[in-house]
Amino acid sequence: MQTLGMAGVRCMVMRGGTSKGAYFVREDLPADASERDELLLRIMGSPDARQIDGIGGAHPLTSKVAVVSQSTDDADIDYLFLQTGVDRAFVTDQQNCGNILAGVGPFALERGLVAAKGREATVRIRMVNTDSIAIERFPLHDGEPEYGGDTAIAGVPGTAAAINIDFEDTAGSSCGALLPTGHTVDHINGVAVTCIDNGMPVVIMLANDVGISGYESCAELEANTALRETIEAIRLKAGPLMNLGDVTKATVPKLTMVALPREGGSLCTRTFIPHRCHDAIGVLGAVSVATAALLPGSPAASVLTKGATGVTVVEHPTGTFDVSVDLDITGSTIVARRSGIVRTARKLFDGTVYPREY
């Protein structure tokens, strides 16, 4: 491990999907989790709303960390996702991040953790947080990741190379079951919800049922104190029902409000993650929402206008997100076989980061 004083720590900053984070090789960080987390807070500049003394971006979507290493399991690479607090000093591994995941394959190749030849790399990634598998495919140029391309994703300006990601065995990865309560619909505080986990624990409800249209901007929703109190009360009761225990200080489950689409998609969403409104929607959150939309009788299914087969187009505040879900429903048995998405990523900076001393 490198010296953690003035020598700094080797780090790559990448945009992964619609998030941005610091990527590290596991061996370049302390082996002890508490020491690692304390160092990461100093690197990111937390706690501080602006993260002015670190490399964090003053928002949960840009205060993320990937810890990557060669795998000793049934994968090429192990990927541990860590969410760091912004104005609070915390580091949590309670969830995956499918956006930051998009950069893991290219990062692993850049660091020599995997090798690839030809025109495309295929990297099998174990998502350590939930012990599930993602298979990532991305283009190569002279054996290096090709970041330039013509694929656009909502929430990111311009275009970049497509990164195709297939997920295996994500159903119930955090909660123990796709539908941890055993029901497609539960009622919490008088609101009909679906509690689902297909890679990300999410509580889904109709926007109208919590007093909004579902088309508001993030700024409007964050300023709506009554709404935030209502959905947080639902979230706190959903936690134990979803086998997550007391979620008062947890970042899961997320909260998604759905409405009829109005931009040509399959359904419209607004998501809290859980206390800030997402400018878009998380990768695995979108997978869970798209899965719920295919369950007859669910709140999401009641507003689904397209996507009963094939691709579900999830509208969000800054565009749309296409999700492919292979769902087998036989009577009361529901099996999520696989899901797939397309993301992009880009290397922004590679070098040495210097943590603050205090």
Side-chain angles (χ1 to χ4, degrees), residues 9-58:
V9 184
R10 186 171 60 158
C11 173
M12 184 179 292
V13 177
M14 299 187 76
R15 174 187 62 76
T18 54
S19 292
K20 184 165 59 178
Y23 290 66
F24 298 92
V25 174
R26 184 181 63 192
E27 287 74 17
D28 290 335
L29 296 172
D32 179 80
S34 61
E35 292 181 16
R36 177 202 66 200
D37 292 352
E38 189 270 341
L39 174 65
L40 291 174
L41 290 172
R42 291 193 286 126
I43 287 172
M44 301 304 280
S46 303
D48 174 52
R50 295 184 299 158
Q51 291 181 314
I52 196 65
D53 205 24
I55 64 172

